[in-house]
Amino acid sequence: MPDVHDSATVHTWVRSLRDLRRGDVDLAGGKAANLGELLTAGLPVPNGFVVTTDGYRHFVDSAGIREELLAEAAGSDSVADAERASARIAALFAAHEIPAELTAEILAAYEDLATADPQDATLPPGHLAVAVRSSATAEDLEGASFAGQQDTFLNISGAGALLDAIRSCWQSLWTARAIGYRARQGIAPATVSLAVVVQTLVDADASGVMFTANPANGRRDELLISAAWGLGEPVGGGTVTPDEIVLRRSGEGLTVSRTKVGEKEVRTVRTAAGTVENEVPAALRSRAVLTDPEALRLGELGTRIADHYGRPMDVEWARRGDRFAIVQARPVTALPDPVGEVPTEWPLPEDTSFYFRASIVEQLPDPLTPLFGDVVESGVKTSLDLLMTSVMDRAYLPNEVGFPQINGYAYYRYGRRALLRLSVAAVPLLGQLLRGAERNWREKYLPDYRQAVQDVQAWEIAQQDTAALLDGVVELTKQACVYYTGVQQIIPLAAGGESLFTALYQRTMRRPGDPPASTFVLGGLSKPIRAELSLFELAAWCREHPELTGVLERPGQGREAALRLAYGEAPEGVSPQTWTQWRHRIGAHLDEYGHAVYNLDFANPVAADDPSPVLQALRHYLGGDLPDPAARQQRLAGERDRATGELLARLDPVRGAIARPLLAFTQRVAPLREDALAEVGLAWPLIRRLLSELGARLTDVGLLADPDDVYWLHEDEIRSAVDAFGRKETFTPMTAQIEQRREQWRGRRLAEPPDILPQRQSSIWRRWMPTATADETGRALRGLGASGGQAEAAACLVLDAADFAKMQPGMVLVARITTPAYTPLFALASAVVTDIGGPLSHSSIVAREYGIPAVLGTGVATRRIVDGDRLFVDGSAGVVRLPGDHQDDSAPPAAEARRGRGLAAAAGVTALGVAVAVLRRGRR
C-alpha cells in the first residue's frame, strides 16, 4: 500500500492530514482542516490521517440508512424526542459493519502511520495508540464552534478498536445533544456530514485549553490557559478545577499576568484497555502544572496560531515531557467586547475635599462617556455657582465646589470649609431655597429650559457650521444642569412634605387598623403616570385596527425596526389612512414623553430616538399582560380621598388645624417630584440630533469610523477638529483611541464606586447616602425596604434601555437605578431591587403606586444577581434573598438600621426646612 502521507497519492476515502487546508471543510470537517493547515505551517500537531466525509457517506449509503436517520432527526422537536431518535440512530450504526473497501484504506493508513511514528513499546508490533476525533462539516468554523457536540476516543490501538471508534464517531453526529445544538443553530440535518481524524496519541502528562483572547473579559491582548494533569478529558468535561494562567501581550512580548492554581483532584491516564480516571497524587494536586517559562512557550504557540488565522482561537494542547502538541484549534465564537482593568484604587483629585455620589449623580450609575463628562462638569459647576451665590452671597466659596470624575464616575466635590458652612446653615438655607420653590420651578426654571430648547430647535441643523453644533450641545447641557437646580428644590419640597406628614400622622393621629401614611399621597397624576395612561389609550386605539396590531406584535423588533414603525413608511397590509393616524398618535406620545432619560449620560438613547422600549410596553398592553392603569390610578385616588375624609372628620380641632393644611400641601406637591424629574431630559433628543450631525461630519473626514463614536471624543478634541476643518487638514483616524476608551469604560463599569471619598470618612456620612455598603458577600442582600410586601420570582437584570425587552410579567426588576422612563416596567414587575435609591426616590414612589415590594440602595444587586436567579424580595424588611439562602433572618443588621435612621434624620432636616419655609411665608 502506498504511503498515506505521500500527497501525490490519491485515496478514495482517506486523506493525509498534511494535505488538508482551510478550504477542505466539506471534505474533512472544520477540525481536520484546521489541524492539517497548522501541521503544514510547522506547528507541533501530531501526525495522522482523515477518513473523509465521502467515507462517512459511503458507509451510510452502503448500509442503506440515510433516509431513516434523516427522518428520525427531522422529527426531534423536544429533548425527549431527540434522545429517542439518537438511541434509534445508534442502533442503526451498530447493526452495520464498515464496507470492506473502506476498511482496507483505513487499515492501510493506520499501518503507515504506525511505521512513520516511533513505536510504543507497551503495544504489540504493528499497533499504534491513536486519538480518534470527530470532525463535522458544521463545527470549528467562525460562526459556530460546536465544541464537544461530537465524540473523541483516546488511546485506541489495534484494527478492531480503531474501526469501532470510527463508527462510533460517525454515530456521534446524531447524539441528542448534537441534534439539539444544530436545531438551535438552524442547521438542517441533511446538510451536515462527518469526517474522522486519526492522530498519533500524545501520552500527555499534562493538557488543557488555551484561548488566545480572554473569554472572561474579551481582551484581545490577554491569553487564558487552563491546565491539568494527564489527558484532556477532565478540563473539557469540567470534572476538575484546573490551573488558570493569564498571559498579557504587549509590544515587548508575552508576560505572565496572573496565575491561579486549582485543586486538581482527578486525571485521565492510559491503560492497556483505553483510559481511566483516577485520583491525582496529593503532592501534585496543589502544584502548578506549568512553570512560567512553559506557559510563555505555550502562549507563543497560541500567538502563532491566532496570527495564522487572523482571529482569536480556542486551542487544545497536550504536553509530554518538555514538548507541547496542538491537538485541536477552532475560532473563538461569541467573544465579548474587550474589558479594561477594573479599578480598585480611588485617587482623590484634592486631599482637602470630600466627594459624594448623590443627587444628580444618582442618575449617572455608570462611568461617564468622555464628551458628556467634559460638558456636564462645567454645566454642573455653573449651576452650583448660580444657586449658591443666590442664597449664600459672600459665604459661598465657588472654588471649593465642583463636579469632577474619579475613575470615570461623577462625584460632587466639597472643600472642607464649604462643607462646614453648608452644614451649619443647612436648615435656614433649606428654608430659603424652599420658599417659592414650586413657583420658581413653574415660572422660571422650566420655562427657561423649554425656551433654550426651542431656540435650538429653530435651527436648520444641516446648515449650521460644525462649531455651532458643539456650542449648541454645550449650551443645552448647561441649561439642563441649571434646570436641575430647580429640581433639587422640588425634590426636598415633596419629600419634606411627605416626611413631615408621615411623622405627625404616625405619632399623633394614626390608630390601630388605620391605613399607612403612604395611602394619603398615592393616586396622583404625575407625568410618568400620564405617560402610562397615554400608552394604554394608544393600545386601545390600535386594537380597533387588527392589521396594525399584527405589525406591532411581531417579535424581535430592534432599534432600526422600531424607528421604521414610529417614523417610517406604511408596511404592507396597513392602509395609508390607518398608518397616518398611527404615526400621528405615536408621534404625539413620543413628543410629549419621549425625552425621559434612562441614564443621564446623553450617549444613552431616549425613547424619542429609540422607541423600542415604548413599543415593547405597547405590545404588553396589546397582549393583555398589563391591567388598566386608569383603573389602578382611580382606585388609589379613591382610597386616598376616602382616608383623607375619614381622618379629617375624626380629628379634634387642634390636630385638625395642623393636619388639614399640611395634608393639602403634601398631596399637592407629591406628584411634583416626578413631574420635575421627567423633564430633565427635555433637551436630550435635540442634543443627540446635533451630535448625530456632528459625528457624521467627523466620519466624512475620516476622524471617526462611525458617527456614534463622537460620544467617545473629548470636547477639546472636537474643537481641534473643527479648527482643522477650515485649514482643510488631513485627519488621522482615532479608531484605536476610541476603542481603548470603550475598553477602559467597560472595565470601570464593573467597579463599585464608593459613595463617599475619602473612604475613611464613610462612617460619618454613610447614613445619609442612597446605597448600602457594597461589600456584602452572603446570599442575602440588604437595603432599604421602600415599599412593603413580599414576592418570589425570577430576576430580570435591566442595565439600560436595551434590556427592557427582556422584562416579562411577574419578574423581579433588578436595576442600578430607576428613572421616570422605567415606569412601564413597574407594571410588569412583581418586585423591584436597585443598587441606588432611598425611601423617597422614584423607585419607592412608583413601587408603592403599583403595590409591589421594593428593596432599594443595596449597592451591589446588579453585580450579585444574574438573569433568571430566583429571588425572594421582602420589601418590609429590606432583604433580598438570593438562590441558596434559606436563613430566616428578616431583621436588618445594625448598620442598615442606623442607615435607615440616618435617612430618616435627613428627611427630618428636610421637613424642618419645609416647616421653616411655611412659617416664613405665613409671617409675610
Side-chain angles (χ1 to χ4, degrees), residues 273-292:
T275 62
V276 67
E277 190 175 273
N278 62 23
E279 291 188 0
V280 173
L284 294 179
R285 289 187 181 184
S286 299
R287 176 178 147 189
V289 173
L290 300 177
T291 63
D292 283 359

Side-chain angles (χ1 to χ4, degrees), residues 420-470:
L420 178 62
R421 293 186 183 190
L422 286 172
S423 300
V424 170
V427 172
L429 176 60
L430 192 57
Q432 187 174 347
L433 281 174
L434 296 183
R435 278 199 323 273
E438 181 183 355
R439 183 183 66 253
N440 288 339
W441 171 69
R442 293 188 186 279
E443 299 178 6
K444 179 180 185 301
Y445 289 108
L446 185 56
D448 287 354
Y449 188 24
R450 283 176 172 162
Q451 186 61 54
V453 173
Q454 291 170 4
D455 290 345
V456 180
Q457 279 176 333
W459 291 2
E460 289 287 342
I461 290 178
Q463 305 304 317
Q464 295 292 318
D465 63 54
T466 309
L469 297 177
L470 180 58

Side-chain angles (χ1 to χ4, degrees), residues 70 311 338 377 394 432 617 775 783 922:
L70 289 178
R311 60 167 295 140
E377 181 174 358
R394 295 180 182 179
Q432 187 174 347
D775 57 357

Side-chain angles (χ1 to χ4, degrees), residues 160-172:
L162 175 62
L163 295 173
D164 287 343
I166 290 172
R167 187 172 52 179
S168 295
C169 278
W170 286 336
Q171 180 265 316
S172 72

